[in-house]
Amino acid sequence: MRRGLRWRILIVFMAIGLAGWQFSYTVRLGRLTPEQKLTMTEEEMKQLNKKALHLGLDLQGGMHLVLEVDKSKLSPDEAKDATNRVLEVLRNRIDQFGVFEPTIQKQGTDRIAVQLPGVLDRQRAKDVIGKTAQLEFRLVESALKTQRLLEAIDRVVMSAESVAVEDTLDYTVRPLLSLIRRHRADFVVDDRYRSTFNKYTSLPEAARLMPEGQEFLWGQETYIEGRKFRPIYLVRKDPELTGAAIVDAEVGIGSSDNPNEVRVDLTMTRQARAKWAAITGGNVGRRLAIVLDRIVQSAPVIRERIASGRSQIEMGLSPLEEAKDLAIVLRAGALPAPVKVIEERSVGPSLGADSIRSGVRSLVIGGVVVLLFMLVYYSVSGFVAGIALVLNLVFVLAVLSGFRASLSLPGMAGLVLTIGMSVDANVLIFERIREELLAGKTVRAAIDNGYSKAFRTILDANMTTLLAAVILWIFGTRFAMGPVTGFAVTLSIGIVCSFFTAIVVTRVIFDVATLKRQPKKLLI
């Protein structure tokens, strides 16, 4: 056996085996029916998705967002690395949201591009990403003090302006208090009159009555007799603790008022537990508001000193999904600055399926046409080129899935281009072999010389194309151009694989076929 042939055979079989093993996950995932997926555990599906070929946003559907970080309220020092800190928080949130293979990239100084393949619930995803999640624990003033303050503000409002009458005489007599009613321990305002309440309490005369270091905050909406109300709380401006004290947040079911109510259980850091115990121990009987993004989520009464470092956010009538999302953003931490969505694009799953069908059709048609040409023009040797072509596709897809790269629509274009390049290398080799045969060389000598003479040309052509693909990848990554990056990655992998199949795989086939038989003629 020729020197090194055993090793080359071993390398080829190892490559085929590894590629087949890696590609089998993609085949298995693609053959799963919806019913079979339901019988699998979440962990099994996660592992299978992790090892299978990932489809890009344009092929499986999803969301593309461009976010802008609002640094207007940050100090110069805080604004310096705000975008990078927002990037890390978003990455944590999206990871916990369960999106597989998201793309999160910084654009310029204050923008972040986010791609979420497979995400179809747009509003939920935007809520998780855009929620600032500033969690605070603030003491609530007593109902008596709140009542007195509201009455005082009501008097100054009456004297400060002529109040517009809407439908009852009470509005003319008690402009502020007529908007408020008591519901259990809370002061609640009909949601239709929130702006009126804000207008009255922000009057200069009313603002002067506000106690130093206190402010009104709204609570979550609640329904009373079929109408939507919102509680109002008089709370301290300075929080007793912030979200930095939270080490974990989990969803739970049941509260003191409703066994079916969802809640979020919070666990505090070891350092915060002592402070939490001191706060609760020194304020037994008072209410403590749990405030998220300036909305009071709940305001339970402190019954006793809590030394365990645990607390709860009662979610009222909110659905379970909302509680899960809140737990995610609390675990991931608060954004250092608000973000706003300045660009949003969505790709539906049906459009992605159409793209997949079109891409696969183009691959099949292109491959079959090329294969037929090779068979007609190069006979049996063309069949060898066909084997290399198929292996090349399997190698590329296996490498893509192995390195967790996503196959996008531009990536499929790169795959089609790879088919052409793979055949181009074989054409160069076969033509050189033909020349050697016409010059009177033996089959073995013609094969050796053909590969030897074509090697340099093939290497140069692949290196220049690979260099262009690397440049495309650099620009695509730097300027967050996903399609360019996808094309460059697929093309780069395709070049390496086509070089291997053209130079190594086909050579092994020719060597094995001609080594013992010593044929007098080669069908090429």
Side-chain angles (χ1 to χ4, degrees):
M1 187 170 282
R2 290 172 65 82
R3 191 178 67 176
L5 181 56
R6 286 196 181 91
W7 282 108
R8 283 186 284 133
I9 293 174
L10 181 62
I11 290 171
V12 169
F13 273 102
M14 283 180 63
I16 294 173
L18 287 173
W21 171 74
Q22 183 65 45
F23 193 59
S24 67
Y25 293 104
T26 304
V27 175
R28 185 185 168 198
L29 181 63
R31 296 177 64 181
L32 281 178
T33 63
E35 292 77 16
Q36 289 173 322
K37 289 181 181 178
L38 289 175
T39 61
M40 297 176 67
T41 64
E42 185 177 348
E43 185 61 26
E44 287 174 336
M45 278 303 298
K46 189 175 179 181
Q47 289 299 321
L48 188 57
N49 273 308
K50 192 174 179 179
K51 294 176 179 176
L53 179 65
H54 312 140
L55 299 179
L57 190 72
D58 47 3
L59 292 182
Q60 66 168 313
M63 290 181 65
H64 172 86
L65 299 171
V66 178
L67 308 170
E68 188 171 71
V69 181
D70 181 6
K71 304 177 183 175
S72 58
K73 295 181 180 177
L74 301 180
S75 66
D77 286 340
E78 292 173 331
K80 280 182 182 176
D81 63 341
T83 306
N84 290 329
R85 285 184 288 142
V86 169
L87 190 73
E88 289 306 311
V89 173
L90 288 180
R91 201 183 302 280
N92 287 336
R93 288 187 184 182
I94 292 170
D95 284 347
Q96 297 191 38
F97 189 57
V99 180
F100 198 71
E101 297 298 327
T103 302
I104 309 167
Q105 291 178 320
K106 185 178 174 183
Q107 281 187 333
T109 57
D110 55 359
R111 292 186 178 182
I112 296 172
V114 179
Q115 289 190 348
L116 305 175
V119 171
L120 304 178
D121 191 342
R122 297 165 49 193
Q123 190 56 49
R124 187 184 169 205
K126 286 168 66 178
D127 288 344
V128 170
I129 291 172
K131 188 171 285 185
T132 309
Q134 294 285 358
L135 181 68
E136 296 172 331
F137 296 87
R138 301 202 206 180
L139 284 171
V140 181
E141 275 303 330
S142 67
L144 180 60
K145 286 186 178 179
T146 305
Q147 176 71 33
R148 288 174 178 171
L149 177 62
L150 291 171
E151 290 173 351
I153 295 175
D154 186 71
R155 287 192 291 273
V156 300
V157 170
M158 275 196 297
S159 60
E161 65 174 25
S162 176
V163 180
V165 180
E166 296 215 7
D167 55 4
T168 67
L169 184 62
D170 282 346
Y171 283 89
T172 62
V173 177
R174 308 177 71 180
L176 180 69
L177 293 180
S178 62
L179 306 177
I180 303 168
R181 59 183 287 188
R182 291 296 298 269
H183 177 66
R184 299 175 182 171
D186 296 330
F187 295 90
V188 297
V189 178
D190 191 312
D191 197 56
R192 294 173 298 173
Y193 303 124
R194 282 178 63 195
S195 58
T196 308
F197 182 94
N198 291 334
K199 173 189 169 186
Y200 289 158
T201 53
S202 60
L203 288 173
E205 296 82 357
R208 282 195 287 271
L209 295 175
M210 288 295 296
E212 182 70 23
Q214 294 183 352
E215 63 177 340
F216 283 116
L217 285 183
W218 292 102
Q220 291 196 97
E221 63 184 31
T222 182
Y223 285 85
I224 304 171
E225 298 170 356
R227 292 164 58 191
K228 187 162 70 174
F229 287 81
R230 281 189 183 270
I232 187 75
Y233 300 93
L234 180 62
V235 299
R236 289 186 182 178
K237 285 185 178 177
D238 293 331
E240 307 301 320
L241 280 176
T242 67
I246 303 300
V247 68
D248 193 16
E250 296 290 341
V251 176
I253 303 293
S255 67
S256 55
D257 296 330
N258 186 348
N260 297 319
E261 184 176 300
V262 293
R263 67 174 195 272
V264 177
D265 297 325
L266 307 175
T267 304
M268 297 183 174
T269 61
R270 183 175 298 177
Q271 295 80 1
R273 288 178 188 171
K275 191 174 181 180
W276 182 242
I279 294 168
T280 53
N283 294 280
V284 173
R286 295 191 63 178
R287 301 180 74 184
L288 186 71
I290 301 174
V291 184
L292 181 69
D293 292 345
R294 295 187 61 77
I295 300 292
V296 177
Q297 303 295 313
S298 59
V301 177
I302 302 172
R303 303 292 182 191
E304 59 184 356
R305 176 176 177 270
I306 303 173
S308 63
R310 295 182 178 277
S311 58
Q312 294 179 353
I313 299 178
E314 296 173 358
M315 301 293 291
L317 301 175
S318 303
L320 183 62
E321 291 299 321
E322 190 173 327
K324 288 181 179 177
D325 294 346
L326 177 59
I328 288 172
V329 297
L330 290 177
R331 284 198 299 268
L335 293 177
V339 297
K340 60 181 179 182
V341 178
I342 60 173
E343 182 183 338
E344 177 185 349
R345 282 183 279 131
S346 296
V347 179
S350 57
L351 184 60
D354 289 342
S355 300
I356 292 175
R357 279 193 292 271
S358 302
V360 171
R361 191 182 302 126
S362 63
L363 272 174
V364 171
I365 293 173
V368 169
V369 170
V370 169
L371 192 56
L372 287 175
F373 170 79
M374 295 296 288
L375 286 172
V376 170
Y377 200 72
Y378 292 109
S379 186
V380 175
S381 298
F383 180 73
V384 175
I387 294 173
L389 181 67
V390 174
L391 287 177
N392 187 29
L393 284 174
V394 174
F395 286 160
V396 173
L397 295 176
V399 172
L400 280 172
S401 59
F403 284 95
R404 297 190 182 182
S406 297
L407 179 64
S408 60
L409 200 56
M412 294 190 84
L415 210 53
V416 174
L417 182 59
T418 300
I419 292 175
M421 293 192 62
S422 173
V423 173
D424 181 59
N426 288 122
V427 168
L428 284 172
I429 294 169
F430 293 168
E431 289 301 318
R432 293 292 179 273
I433 294 175
R434 272 184 171 178
E435 291 174 0
E436 295 296 320
L437 291 173
L438 290 174
K441 300 286 181 62
T442 63
V443 170
R444 282 298 328 150
I447 291 173
D448 288 343
N449 291 340
Y451 274 92
S452 177
K453 290 181 178 178
F455 179 81
R456 184 60 182 269
T457 306
I458 295 170
L459 181 64
D460 289 347
N462 281 273
M463 287 302 293
T464 51
T465 310
L466 184 61
L467 181 62
V470 170
I471 292 172
L472 282 175
W473 179 81
I474 292 172
F475 274 90
T477 305
R478 184 179 180 84
F479 298 105
M481 295 186 290
V484 176
T485 306
F487 177 79
V489 168
T490 310
L491 183 60
S492 302
I493 296 172
I495 290 167
V496 175
C497 292
S498 69
F499 186 82
F500 175 75
T501 54
I503 299 297
V504 179
V505 176
T506 57
R507 178 68 186 271
V508 167
I509 295 174
F510 277 120
D511 284 349
V512 170
T514 59
L515 187 61
K516 290 184 178 179
R517 295 180 181 179
Q518 297 293 332
K520 304 294 184 185
K521 183 179 179 183
L522 181 64
L523 297 175
I524 190 168

